Amino acid sequence: MIYADNNATTACLPEVVEAVSNCLRDNYGNPSSRHYIEGRNAAAALDTARQTLSSFLNTELDEIFFTSGATEALNQIIFGVAERLLSKRPHIIAAATEHPAVLEPIERCKRAGARVTLIGVDKNGLINFDELEQALDDSCCLVAVMLANNETGVINDIQRISALAHQHGALMLSDITAALGKIPVDVKALGCDFAACSSHKIYGPKGSGLLYKKRGLAIDPLFYGGHQEQQVRSGTENIPGIVGFSTAVASIQKNQAKHHDHLNKLQSTLEEKIIKDIPGLVIHGAAAPRTPGCNFLSVPGLQRGWLTQLKSVAASSGSSCSSGTGEGSHVLLAMGVAPQDAANSIRVSLGYFNTIEDVDVIAAE
Ligand code: PMP
């Protein structure tokens, strides 16, 4: 079986497995218990991980808050901003193609009185700037647009969107989960106020992620009690998960150019091969900047059942969250794809462990 669902999750790098198991065995202290050596060792691992992550993302050390993943971080940012600002600025704007971990909390904010505008995208998945500029007003508290889309890989111009949001006094959130490890991500250069990402999408363990919050901004916690993470995220830190996350990031930072070239080659080789063999094949987002490795494909009018025919390839029909529901991807629907084709598409997302030989097998399926 060839694993080609790396946008759903990735296998851990060997150095991550080693670091996590060493940590589980040797570094079991509670980082808040700094009055003895076991606690100080855990605190040191946490500090090192924070330095690695903040250097990778180009943030200050005190702008990184470890969480259980991107879902938690995104929920906290959205509810945290809403709680503080909704009474003065009741408008929230997001791209229609955001992940459910953004769309659902925003939808829930409606109960607290929010007015929500979802901004459309063009047929390539790029945000419609005219719509965004029309929607932006001085009652907007938050704009949420992801850097790369997890289904298509399409990369949006976050710098420009952040600048527009700031012109209207709104805060900017960018979900960087699907971009990390595929393209360099400099949070300061993106200009966003908040960001979120996840370890298991970049060859680290599951259950670990982070929230980026620009220095000086305040949001309320989702969890109360332990005062960890500068009181922004209570609960004993998941040291093995955080060590695994930072080990993955340290390795990626060293090999970023090599990984990028490898993923690029896999993506272009696969697409060149299948485009010749499958008449009418559509590669979603192909005309836009895309993350390497991601191939989201449809053949308009084809009978349903691509996925069941792929016997030796583990791929998915879109986001891992909607996979198996039989419903068309909301991302493809927003891009104007016909509902029957949106429900009959396949995402082949290649990762560091895939080879050119894998691509030959996938293309032959
Ligand atoms: N955002 C994006 C773009 C994602 O792809 C995912 C994972 N499907 C998430 C957020 C949620 O991440 P996590 O699994 O860490 O909660």
Side-chain angles (χ1 to χ4, degrees):
M1 195 73 177
I2 291 167
Y3 185 73
D5 206 6
N6 288 276
N7 279 22
T9 196
T10 50
C12 287
L13 292 169
E15 54 270 42
V16 168
V17 175
E18 198 188 333
V20 172
S21 60
N22 288 345
C23 179
L24 285 167
R25 193 186 50 237
D26 302 330
N27 203 348
Y28 48 82
N30 186 325
S32 298
S33 305
R34 296 185 187 213
H35 53 292
Y36 48 72
I37 188 69
E38 289 84 351
R40 286 197 293 278
N41 285 344
L46 190 57
D47 288 347
T48 305
R50 207 180 305 281
Q51 276 166 26
T52 304
L53 263 311
S54 80
S55 137
F56 188 56
L57 297 173
N58 190 24
T59 73
E60 303 302 326
L61 281 175
D62 60 1
E63 294 176 325
I64 299 280
F65 303 87
F66 289 110
T67 66
S68 65
T71 300
E72 180 192 324
L74 292 163
N75 272 262
Q76 181 170 355
I77 294 161
I78 293 162
F79 291 135
V81 169
E83 207 164 339
R84 289 202 168 227
L85 292 177
L86 227 46
S87 58
K88 289 179 228 111
R89 290 176 163 259
H91 189 192
I92 301 179
I93 294 178
T97 47
E98 291 301 290
H99 189 274
V102 167
L103 293 177
E104 289 182 23
I106 286 179
E107 184 60 29
R108 213 182 148 95
C109 287
K110 282 186 184 167
R111 292 194 204 167
R115 179 165 66 85
V116 173
T117 307
L118 296 183
I119 305 296
V121 294
D122 68 12
K123 65 182 194 316
N124 296 308
L126 291 169
I127 195 131
N128 183 327
F129 273 95
D130 289 340
E131 251 183 64
L132 176 64
E133 283 180 44
Q134 258 173 20
L136 268 167
D137 56 22
D138 293 347
S139 74
C140 179
C141 62
L142 185 69
V143 177
V145 181
M146 71 210 313
L147 176 53
N149 185 270
N150 52 306
E151 299 191 19
T152 57
V154 167
I155 301 168
N156 264 298
D157 183 349
I158 301 301
Q159 215 171 1
R160 182 171 166 203
I161 300 168
S162 296
L164 283 170
H166 290 156
Q167 274 171 26
H168 291 271
L171 295 165
M172 175 72 197
L173 160 62
S174 190
D175 176 358
I176 58 173
T177 309
L180 219 60
K182 302 181 183 79
I183 55 169
V185 179
D186 178 330
V187 168
K188 279 218 171 88
L190 293 178
C192 52
D193 302 289
F194 300 100
C197 62
S198 181
S199 153
H200 75 97
K201 307 280 183 176
I202 55 157
Y203 310 89
K206 289 158 187 67
S208 183
L210 68 77
L211 182 161
Y212 160 80
K213 175 174 77 63
K214 199 172 177 174
R215 201 182 257 179
L217 292 172
I219 48 169
D220 291 333
L222 273 189
F223 309 146
Y224 291 86
H227 306 295
Q228 288 89 349
E229 299 292 294
Q230 302 176 61
Q231 310 198 20
V232 169
R233 202 277 185 180
S234 280
T236 304
E237 291 90 345
N238 170 8
I239 300 295
I242 293 167
V243 164
F245 188 12
S246 79
T247 304
V249 160
S251 170
I252 290 169
Q253 197 165 23
K254 256 196 288 171
N255 299 304
Q256 184 127 295
K258 193 178 86 188
H259 288 318
H260 186 273
D261 291 350
H262 177 63
L263 294 179
N264 236 339
K265 185 151 182 246
L266 296 177
Q267 183 182 42
S268 57
T269 309
L270 178 67
E271 291 181 356
E272 275 161 28
K273 276 178 188 281
I274 56 179
I275 213 148
K276 275 199 257 130
D277 293 343
I278 309 177
L281 178 81
V282 176
I283 302 168
H284 298 293
R290 266 185 311 157
T291 53
C294 189
N295 316 75
F296 201 9
L297 314 165
S298 301
V299 181
L302 197 78
Q303 276 195 330
R304 292 189 79 144
W306 277 52
L307 277 173
T308 50
Q309 281 167 25
L310 291 173
K311 295 199 182 61
S312 53
V313 183
S316 75
S317 56
S319 128
S320 37
C321 307
S322 68
S323 198
T325 61
E327 279 171 27
S329 142
H330 74 288
V331 175
L332 294 187
L333 293 174
M335 289 163 72
V337 175
Q340 66 274 22
D341 296 329
N344 195 21
S345 297
I346 180 166
R347 180 187 67 185
V348 177
S349 51
L350 301 161
Y352 300 172
F353 294 117
N354 289 113
T355 61
I356 284 288
E357 290 73 41
D358 289 349
V359 166
D360 291 339
V361 176
I362 296 168
E365 276 272 315

